[in-house]
Amino acid sequence: MQIISTVSLWLIPIIIVAVLLHGTWKRVPTYEIFVEGGKEGIKIAVSIIPFLVGMLVAISIFRASGALEFFVGLLRPFLEFFGIPAEIVPLAFLRPISGNAALGVTSDLIATYGPDSFVGRLASVMQGSTDTTFYILTVYFGAVGIKKMGNALKIGLIADFIGITASIVIVTLIFGTI
Amino acid sequence: MINIIWVAMTVIGIVFAMVNGRMEEVNKAVFEGAQEAVTLCIGFISVLVFWLGLMRIAQTSGLLDKLSLLFTPLMKKIFPDVPADHPALGYILSNMIANMFGLGNAATPLGIKAMEQLKVLNGGRNEASRSMVTFLVINTSSITIIPTTVLAIRMNYGSVSPAEIVLPTIITSLFATTCAVLIDRYMYNRKNRNRVK
């Protein structure tokens, strides 16, 4: 498992070096282009604020009232039989429906259980490895006026289920359940 | 759907608080939740500015285009109905590369362009063609190489090693996408077999 953490740590620096060297070689004004592209990052981060405020307030209320504890407690005996932490269920459920809502749940889980805990790592991988099926379906098919979607929704949701299951298995295998 | 979930969480939470006598905690939760969200988004700025800046260089220098050439043979296998020199294939590739490197905003317009081209290929009908379903399925299971926002959250909450989840994320998303493509192929074949009968 040492290899996996090494690759994880080396990947980003290697991409940085490759991009900068290739840019210099192609005579791109690297620093100026970097600044230009970076401006978009500020726009995106600011535009997420309302989504995250709405979702995190709702989650905080749900948690502080004891409601989350109650529902998680109902699921726990069943899920723990399969080695699945019950805390992850809200994320698994929301991920295909809304990307920003899921992002709110992910940050709440990481804040509550710590980024280096089993739940924190699991939430990280789950959030990163699948996309918002309903959103993509609506935007892509909506934009070009597709009315009959065929099997797209069914397969998309099956893929989400596989991704969520796979993230549990892979995180357990790589990091253990601590 | 997200509207109902959002309202339900908030209302059920407040009703629970009434029963459990946790009104004080709920009041605190409202303001703390809002504040935490803003703090997090400010934390996103650092990672997003750096990553999107870097990726703009990769776009300008043609590195991303070069990468998409690498995937052309694979795409021809995944989209057998799309002619090799059709512009749809180029848009599909650029969309996937943009998604891989966390450029969601760049990926969406490219994806829509790919869909437009696929619709032209399908004679402009309002029915999803085989290639459209495949393209959509690949997008919803999303191959990710750098999960930018997740890295930012992990950094924000003081992870010892924020990047340790990078490879597990790649493995998981690759696995899910492969399964999605296989299921899509299987369903298409099954439907076709029934039609022949």
Side-chain angles (χ1 to χ4, degrees), chain A residues 55 58 93-94 97 101, chain B residues 1-11:
Chain A
M55 219 14 95
F93 179 65
L94 270 177
I97 300 169
Chain B
M1 189 150 175
I2 192 63
N3 297 312
I4 296 169
I5 293 172
W6 188 59
V7 171
M9 271 208 305
T10 315
V11 173

Side-chain angles (χ1 to χ4, degrees), chain A residues 41-42 44-53 55-57 59-60 100-112 115, chain B residues 32-48 148-158:
Chain A
I42 303 177
I44 296 175
V46 172
S47 70
I48 303 177
I49 293 179
F51 293 100
L52 229 53
V53 168
M55 219 14 95
L56 274 183
V57 168
I59 296 164
S60 301
N100 287 316
L103 195 61
V105 180
T106 299
S107 50
D108 182 62
L109 286 173
I110 290 176
T112 312
Chain B
E32 280 176 2
Q35 188 168 22
E36 200 178 311
V38 176
T39 315
L40 263 178
C41 289
I42 302 298
F44 288 164
I45 294 180
S46 57
V47 173
L48 285 178
T148 40
T149 41
V150 172
L151 285 174
I153 298 174
R154 294 176 60 80
M155 272 163 53
N156 196 44
Y157 290 111

Side-chain angles (χ1 to χ4, degrees), chain A residues 54 116 121 137 144 147-148, chain B residues 6 119 126 136 159-160 164:
Chain A
D116 303 320
R121 284 165 172 157
L137 210 72
V144 297
K147 300 259 160 55
K148 292 178 193 155
Chain B
W6 188 59
K119 194 180 179 184
N126 69 351
L136 210 92
S159 170
V160 178
E164 69 180 3

Side-chain angles (χ1 to χ4, degrees), chain A residues 1-170:
Chain A
M1 293 305 133
Q2 189 61 40
I3 303 165
I4 287 178
S5 18
T6 311
V7 174
S8 292
L9 290 182
W10 279 62
L11 193 59
I12 295 173
I14 285 175
I15 292 176
I16 295 174
V17 170
V19 169
L20 291 184
L21 288 183
H22 188 261
T24 310
W25 180 48
K26 291 282 174 189
R27 298 179 189 282
V28 171
T30 44
Y31 185 63
E32 284 147 46
I33 297 287
F34 171 83
V35 171
E36 209 42 58
K39 285 179 189 162
E40 202 196 338
I42 303 177
K43 253 190 272 167
I44 296 175
V46 172
S47 70
I48 303 177
I49 293 179
F51 293 100
L52 229 53
V53 168
M55 219 14 95
L56 274 183
V57 168
I59 296 164
S60 301
I61 292 176
F62 202 62
R63 179 187 295 287
S65 66
L68 186 67
E69 241 172 279
F70 175 76
F71 289 112
V72 166
L74 283 183
L75 292 167
R76 193 184 300 278
F78 173 71
L79 290 174
E80 262 170 18
F81 181 73
F82 296 100
I84 304 167
E87 294 81 3
I88 209 77
V89 171
L91 177 62
F93 179 65
L94 270 177
R95 191 68 191 91
I97 300 169
S98 163
N100 287 316
L103 195 61
V105 180
T106 299
S107 50
D108 182 62
L109 286 173
I110 290 176
T112 312
Y113 298 96
D116 303 320
S117 64
F118 179 52
V119 174
R121 284 165 172 157
L122 188 53
S124 306
V125 173
M126 217 177 259
Q127 172 72 29
S129 64
T130 65
D131 213 324
T132 320
T133 300
F134 284 98
Y135 170 81
I136 292 177
L137 210 72
T138 317
V139 171
Y140 283 10
F141 277 173
V144 297
I146 296 296
K147 300 259 160 55
K148 292 178 193 155
M149 298 191 183
N151 282 325
L153 179 62
K154 205 193 322 176
I155 303 171
L157 289 178
I158 295 174
D160 287 335
F161 180 76
I162 292 173
I164 285 162
T165 315
S167 61
I168 296 171
V169 174
I170 287 165

Side-chain angles (χ1 to χ4, degrees), chain B residues 67-79:
Chain B
L67 260 178
S68 70
L69 281 182
L70 223 65
F71 287 95
T72 311
L74 181 66
M75 283 305 111
K76 282 182 189 158
K77 282 227 169 66
I78 296 179
F79 294 96

Side-chain angles (χ1 to χ4, degrees), chain B residues 4-197:
Chain B
I4 296 169
I5 293 172
W6 188 59
V7 171
M9 271 208 305
T10 315
V11 173
I12 292 173
I14 291 176
V15 171
F16 257 79
M18 289 171 181
V19 178
N20 287 350
R22 291 215 200 172
M23 273 309 173
E24 207 179 312
E25 284 91 334
V26 164
N27 272 301
K28 236 170 86 187
V30 172
F31 298 106
E32 280 176 2
Q35 188 168 22
E36 200 178 311
V38 176
T39 315
L40 263 178
C41 289
I42 302 298
F44 288 164
I45 294 180
S46 57
V47 173
L48 285 178
V49 165
F50 181 75
W51 193 254
L52 291 179
L54 192 74
M55 282 302 125
R56 183 68 65 89
I57 300 175
Q59 262 170 340
T60 314
S61 71
L63 190 61
L64 292 186
D65 293 337
K66 210 172 264 176
L67 260 178
S68 70
L69 281 182
L70 223 65
F71 287 95
T72 311
L74 181 66
M75 283 305 111
K76 282 182 189 158
K77 282 227 169 66
I78 296 179
F79 294 96
D81 289 356
V82 180
D85 52 348
H86 198 273
L89 213 56
Y91 286 126
I92 291 173
L93 279 162
S94 324
N95 165 274
M96 282 181 53
I97 298 288
N99 265 329
M100 274 186 201
F101 288 94
L103 303 170
N105 276 29
T108 308
L110 289 165
I112 292 172
K113 283 217 180 79
M115 276 295 176
E116 276 167 4
Q117 293 295 330
L118 290 176
K119 194 180 179 184
V120 172
L121 263 179
N122 197 30
R125 273 172 289 177
N126 69 351
E127 191 179 338
S129 68
R130 173 191 183 185
S131 311
M132 284 170 154
V133 174
T134 310
F135 179 57
L136 210 92
V137 162
I138 290 176
N139 253 287
T140 61
S141 59
S142 111
I143 306 167
T144 317
I145 291 186
I146 306 298
T148 40
T149 41
V150 172
L151 285 174
I153 298 174
R154 294 176 60 80
M155 272 163 53
N156 196 44
Y157 290 111
S159 170
V160 178
S161 177
E164 69 180 3
I165 50 90
V166 169
L167 195 60
T169 303
I170 297 175
I171 296 172
T172 308
S173 67
L174 250 165
F175 178 75
T177 307
T178 312
C179 288
V181 170
L182 291 177
I183 294 168
D184 172 54
R185 184 62 60 102
Y186 168 77
M187 287 212 174
Y188 173 80
N189 287 339
R190 198 180 59 175
K191 204 168 84 182
N192 253 26
R193 224 176 302 139
N194 288 346
R195 201 170 285 169
V196 172
K197 275 177 195 168

